[in-house]
Amino acid sequence: MLAPTHYPLEYHDLRLVLALVRGGSLAKAADLLGQDVSTVFRAIQRLEKALGTRLFDKPRSGYSPTPLAEALAAQAQQAEQALARARQHTLGGEQVQGCVRLTCSEAVLQALVAPALGAVLEALPGVELRLHGGPGFANLSRHEADIAVRLCQQPPQHLVGRPLATVPFVLCAHPRLLQGDGGGAPPWIALEEGPGEDPTGDWRRQHFPAARIAHSAHGLHGVAQLARAGLGRALLPRWLIEAPLQVLDEPTVACASTLWLLMRPDCRHIPAVAKVFEGLARHFTTAANH
């Protein structure tokens, strides 16, 4: 509980706390605020001193918010949303401004998301996109991103989700692995264990229990690259099958995933995020019907 204090909280204090809750580290909070790390460090020290209480614990893993910091961050989110709505009203009409942070894997970005973003953002000239499309995933629950496009069987229930398409996987390999040179069954390339887009592991273990995993990669794009190099057979979406890979005859009907568009619930009230979410949903729905 916060002890009585005469310090008058300002909006910039709330923004500071919210950025550190979302980022979980000084570096990420500084990036969100457009400031340097030392400025953020001094600011949070001053705020804690002014309030007479800790706002964050500091374990090795980063900055962990206290209950007070979480309460202030919730108030900051409400203020942020109210400010976004007010700005939209002053701009008039459908013009929307703001920053939207979107995360997806490199494979999904290249094949599916990037082609959609051009049309969506062209209609929203006031929206700035911050894209996380590399290895690893920005985490919606930790407020590292606003929108995510994920391949998964079932997304977390606390997120706002919309299924965009069913993505079947097929078994493929380099032609030289299929020439029957007597060396036994070709080895496999697998996705590394972890969160994200892997509907293939259970299917492989069920249909090929003795499969030898020779290599692994952090994402589907990496699996495809290793398969094209002839290092093993792999399960991939058809849009990642390129020469010299050949699709094998083994049926993989049961091996499929779903492409999900996901958003944090609090983002439904932020106009820029909501508009990008709806724009992407419309794009994929239109594409699926043609």
Short mmCIF file of all heavy atoms in Angstrom, two decimals, residues 9 57 62 88 205 222 233 239 241 276 280-281:
data_model
loop_
_atom_site.label_atom_id
_atom_site.label_comp_id
_atom_site.label_asym_id
_atom_site.label_seq_id
_atom_site.Cartn_x
_atom_site.Cartn_y
_atom_site.Cartn_z
N LEU A 9 1.21 12.96 -8.97
CA LEU A 9 1.52 12.16 -10.15
C LEU A 9 1.12 12.90 -11.42
O LEU A 9 0.04 13.49 -11.49
CB LEU A 9 0.78 10.82 -10.10
CG LEU A 9 1.43 9.69 -9.29
CD1 LEU A 9 0.46 8.53 -9.18
CD2 LEU A 9 2.72 9.23 -9.96
N ASP A 57 10.74 -4.57 -8.44
CA ASP A 57 11.83 -5.42 -7.96
C ASP A 57 12.79 -5.62 -9.12
O ASP A 57 12.39 -5.55 -10.29
CB ASP A 57 11.28 -6.76 -7.47
CG ASP A 57 10.35 -6.59 -6.27
OD1 ASP A 57 10.70 -5.78 -5.38
OD2 ASP A 57 9.30 -7.24 -6.24
N GLY A 62 15.17 -9.06 -15.05
CA GLY A 62 14.64 -7.78 -15.49
C GLY A 62 13.90 -7.06 -14.38
O GLY A 62 14.09 -7.36 -13.20
N GLN A 88 -8.27 11.06 -32.13
CA GLN A 88 -9.05 10.68 -33.30
C GLN A 88 -10.21 11.67 -33.51
O GLN A 88 -10.49 12.07 -34.64
CB GLN A 88 -9.61 9.27 -33.13
CG GLN A 88 -10.37 8.77 -34.35
CD GLN A 88 -10.92 7.38 -34.15
OE1 GLN A 88 -10.83 6.82 -33.07
NE2 GLN A 88 -11.48 6.81 -35.20
N ARG A 205 6.01 -37.96 -34.36
CA ARG A 205 6.21 -39.01 -33.36
C ARG A 205 5.17 -40.13 -33.51
O ARG A 205 5.45 -41.29 -33.23
CB ARG A 205 6.15 -38.40 -31.95
CG ARG A 205 7.40 -37.62 -31.58
CD ARG A 205 7.36 -37.14 -30.14
NE ARG A 205 6.47 -36.00 -29.98
CZ ARG A 205 6.86 -34.73 -30.11
NH1 ARG A 205 8.13 -34.46 -30.39
NH2 ARG A 205 6.00 -33.74 -29.94
N GLY A 222 13.98 -21.46 -41.18
CA GLY A 222 15.25 -22.17 -41.02
C GLY A 222 15.13 -23.64 -41.39
O GLY A 222 16.04 -24.21 -42.01
N ARG A 233 14.65 -34.70 -44.43
CA ARG A 233 13.28 -34.42 -44.83
C ARG A 233 12.59 -33.60 -43.75
O ARG A 233 12.98 -33.61 -42.58
CB ARG A 233 12.52 -35.71 -45.12
CG ARG A 233 12.56 -36.74 -44.03
CD ARG A 233 11.83 -38.00 -44.45
NE ARG A 233 12.13 -39.12 -43.56
CZ ARG A 233 11.54 -40.29 -43.64
NH1 ARG A 233 10.61 -40.50 -44.55
NH2 ARG A 233 11.87 -41.27 -42.83
N TRP A 239 3.54 -23.21 -48.97
CA TRP A 239 4.11 -21.96 -49.46
C TRP A 239 5.59 -21.81 -49.16
O TRP A 239 6.22 -20.85 -49.60
CB TRP A 239 3.33 -20.75 -48.94
CG TRP A 239 2.84 -20.80 -47.53
CD1 TRP A 239 1.61 -21.19 -47.13
CD2 TRP A 239 3.55 -20.45 -46.33
NE1 TRP A 239 1.50 -21.10 -45.75
CE2 TRP A 239 2.66 -20.65 -45.24
CE3 TRP A 239 4.84 -19.99 -46.08
CZ2 TRP A 239 3.03 -20.40 -43.92
CZ3 TRP A 239 5.21 -19.74 -44.76
CH2 TRP A 239 4.31 -19.95 -43.72
N ILE A 241 7.57 -24.56 -49.90
CA ILE A 241 8.17 -25.59 -50.77
C ILE A 241 8.66 -24.93 -52.05
O ILE A 241 7.89 -24.47 -52.87
CB ILE A 241 7.16 -26.71 -51.12
CG1 ILE A 241 6.52 -27.28 -49.84
CG2 ILE A 241 7.84 -27.81 -51.93
CD1 ILE A 241 7.47 -27.95 -48.92
N VAL A 276 -5.75 -1.66 -37.69
CA VAL A 276 -4.81 -2.58 -38.33
C VAL A 276 -5.30 -4.02 -38.18
O VAL A 276 -5.25 -4.82 -39.12
CB VAL A 276 -3.39 -2.41 -37.76
CG1 VAL A 276 -2.46 -3.51 -38.29
CG2 VAL A 276 -2.84 -1.04 -38.11
N LEU A 280 -6.22 -6.35 -41.41
CA LEU A 280 -5.59 -7.64 -41.70
C LEU A 280 -6.63 -8.74 -41.79
O LEU A 280 -6.55 -9.62 -42.65
CB LEU A 280 -4.56 -7.97 -40.62
CG LEU A 280 -3.26 -7.16 -40.65
CD1 LEU A 280 -2.42 -7.44 -39.40
CD2 LEU A 280 -2.46 -7.46 -41.91
N ALA A 281 -7.62 -8.72 -40.88
CA ALA A 281 -8.67 -9.74 -40.91
C ALA A 281 -9.44 -9.69 -42.23
O ALA A 281 -9.72 -10.73 -42.84
CB ALA A 281 -9.62 -9.54 -39.73
#
